[in-house]
């Protein structure tokens, strides 16, 4: 028995929600360890869709403990709204099944405003990153700048004025420089005091809670948001998110030691998608790209933005396998490829006339890198709902085996539809 970390191996949107839900039945605790409410999971259970953006996927399963770790930046208004939305779908969330780290950073209204102001300015100058305008980046900036308001600060409103003053010293100077009106001390104090009593019942010393549960033998499932290629250090910088999305962050973002992580499962889509700006070597602008987007329903769970689509990039996923220490992958959306005459897989790039086996870190070089493809025969038969290898066409199996070889990691699970039971299990990560 081992704990399991689930990470996206591409630019996010790989279908982590279904896999985490599938695994959550085997887990006792599900921990969200980074990011904010700028990315989401869609779970389909008994025909009902649950859209989550901040809450761990385990909240929809009775008897599971959901935990939001210290690596997450939390918009308290978004958290409470999501709890209320799920309540309308019959999912009851209480302090008994949801715990929130006392040392997690809060996203405030001024963070959301600053995010939008910057993105608007960047649009005018041609340097747009493509953020979701939800305040994620500015909140992480304040965390690193040691001026953030944290969940635990809501428990002592008498000490908040000085902390708010320190925060506003930075933000108001920045807003003046951007030609924006200042934020008042009273407005932030009112914002914090209005949500304190509703958030505090969920607060806990998460690292201690998890350590005690681990020692009792609890199975812990760690889930992140976004994907490895959006990691602040290892992604396609500057077109990345504001946190570390790699598996190592599961330890730092929950307060557990690296030795407690166990099996690293990389969620990998059978083709490639990306939302927002930034390099995308295998992006398709033809009818195949349109086919993938339409058949795969490629729209963001949180934003509704249309995703860019392209061929599978084995070179990038191979990089993710290395930076995460991926043990095995869950290959999703294989069924979207049904019906194509041929399939291409990127195995490397050409740059300045030379072939390279990885995407360079330089933004300028990323823009110049051209994909090197191999071509495989497609299949006409349907893979939708396949639950064992024998149900798959021979060419589909060949495609999967080629992916395994090129990325240097085996397939542990294979997903053939959004339904959780339409999954071919090769290796149970919890039993590995």
């Amino acid at each position: 028995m081992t704990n399991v970390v689930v990470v996206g191996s591409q630019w996010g949107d790989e279908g982590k929600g279904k896999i985490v839900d599938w695994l959550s039945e085997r887990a006792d605790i599900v921990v969200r360890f980074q990011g904010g409410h700028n990315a989401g999971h869609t779970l389909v259970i008994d025909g009902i869709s649950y859209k989550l953006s901040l809450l761990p996927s385990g909240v929809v399963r009775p008897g599971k403990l959901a935990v939001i770790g210290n690596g997450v930046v939390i918009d308290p208004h978004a958290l409470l709204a999501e709890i209320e939305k799920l309540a309308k779908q019959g999912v009851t969330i209480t302090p008994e099944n949801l715990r929130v780290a006392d040392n997690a950073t809060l996203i405030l209204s001024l963070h959301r405003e600053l995010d939008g102001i910057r993105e608007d300015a960047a649009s005018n100058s041609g340097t747009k990153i493509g953020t979701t305008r939800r305040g994620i980046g500015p909140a992480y900036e304040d965390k690193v700048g040691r001026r953030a308001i944290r969940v635990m600060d809501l428990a002592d409103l008498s000490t908040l004025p000085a902390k708010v003053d320190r925060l506003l010293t930075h933000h108001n100077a920045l807003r003046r420089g951007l030609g924006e009106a200042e934020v008042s001390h009273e407005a932030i104090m009112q914002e914090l005091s209005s949500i304190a009593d509703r958030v505090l019942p969920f607060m806990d010393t998460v690292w201690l809670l998890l350590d005690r549960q681990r020692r009792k033998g609890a199975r812990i499932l760690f889930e992140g948001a976004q994907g490895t290629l959006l990691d602040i250090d290892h992604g396609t910088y500057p077109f990345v998110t504001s946190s570390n999305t790699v598996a190592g962050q599961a330890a730092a973002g929950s307060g557990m030691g690296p030795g407690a992580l166990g099996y690293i499962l990389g969620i990998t889509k059978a083709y490639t998608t990306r939302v927002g700006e930034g390099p995308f070597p295998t992006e398709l602008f033809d009818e195949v790209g349109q086919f993938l987007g339409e058949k795969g329903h490629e729209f963001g769970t949180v934003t509704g933005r249309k995703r860019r689509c392209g061929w599978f990039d084995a070179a990038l996923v191979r990089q993710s396998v290395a930076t995460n220490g991926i043990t095995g992958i869950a290959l999703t959306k294989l069924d979207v490829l049904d019906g194509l005459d041929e399939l291409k897989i990127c195995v490397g790039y050409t740059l300045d006339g030379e072939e390279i086996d990885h995407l360079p870190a330089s933004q300028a070089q990323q823009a110049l890198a051209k994909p090197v493809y191999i071509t495989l025969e497609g299949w006409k038969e349907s893979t939708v709902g396949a639950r064992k290898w024998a149900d798959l066409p021979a060419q589909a199996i060949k495609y999967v085996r080629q992916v395994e070889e090129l990325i240097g990691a085996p397939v542990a699970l294979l997903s053939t539809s959004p339904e959780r039971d339409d999954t071919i299990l090769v290796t149970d990560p919890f039993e590995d």
Side-chain angles (χ1 to χ4, degrees), residues 40 47 51 113 245 258 260 296 299 314 345 351 382 392 401:
K51 296 184 181 295
E113 292 169 8
T245 61
F299 296 91
I345 299 177
L351 181 65
S382 174
L392 296 175
R401 297 306 184 201

Side-chain angles (χ1 to χ4, degrees), residues 199-270:
V199 172
L200 286 174
F202 298 100
M203 186 178 74
D204 208 332
T205 307
V206 158
W207 69 267
L208 185 58
L209 167 68
L210 294 177
D211 182 63
R212 287 172 174 168
Q213 291 298 317
R214 180 183 67 84
R215 292 176 186 276
K216 292 178 181 178
R219 287 180 170 183
I220 304 174
L221 178 63
F222 300 88
E223 65 166 331
Q226 291 97 19
T228 300
L229 302 177
L230 292 176
D231 184 275
I232 188 68
D233 291 308
H234 302 288
T236 48
Y237 191 91
F239 303 100
V240 293
T241 194
S242 302
S243 61
N244 288 110
T245 61
V246 293
Q249 179 63 19
S254 66
M256 297 196 74
L261 298 186
Y263 195 103
I264 312 299
L265 182 67
I267 314 301
T268 307
K269 193 178 289 185

Side-chain angles (χ1 to χ4, degrees), residues 143-156:
K143 176 179 180 176
V144 175
R146 294 168 290 187
R147 55 182 172 264
I149 306 298
R150 303 194 290 177
V151 174
M152 67 177 69
D153 294 325
L154 298 176
D156 189 357

Side-chain angles (χ1 to χ4, degrees), residues 332-401:
T332 65
K333 290 199 167 184
L334 182 69
D335 54 297
V336 175
L337 301 180
D338 294 352
L340 291 172
D341 293 325
E342 66 176 25
L343 305 169
K344 294 184 179 182
I345 299 177
C346 173
V347 295
Y349 314 95
T350 57
L351 181 65
D352 297 329
E354 296 184 4
E355 286 198 14
I356 56 176
D357 62 0
H358 67 283
L359 192 65
S362 162
Q363 181 182 351
Q365 290 184 324
Q366 288 173 357
L368 296 174
K370 303 299 180 184
V372 175
Y373 289 115
I374 60 171
T375 302
L376 284 76
E377 183 182 345
W379 57 88
K380 297 299 183 180
E381 304 95 323
S382 174
T383 63
V384 176
R387 299 184 182 182
K388 54 183 184 294
W389 285 109
D391 295 336
L392 296 175
Q395 287 305 127
I397 295 175
K398 184 176 180 180
Y399 182 83
V400 174
R401 297 306 184 201

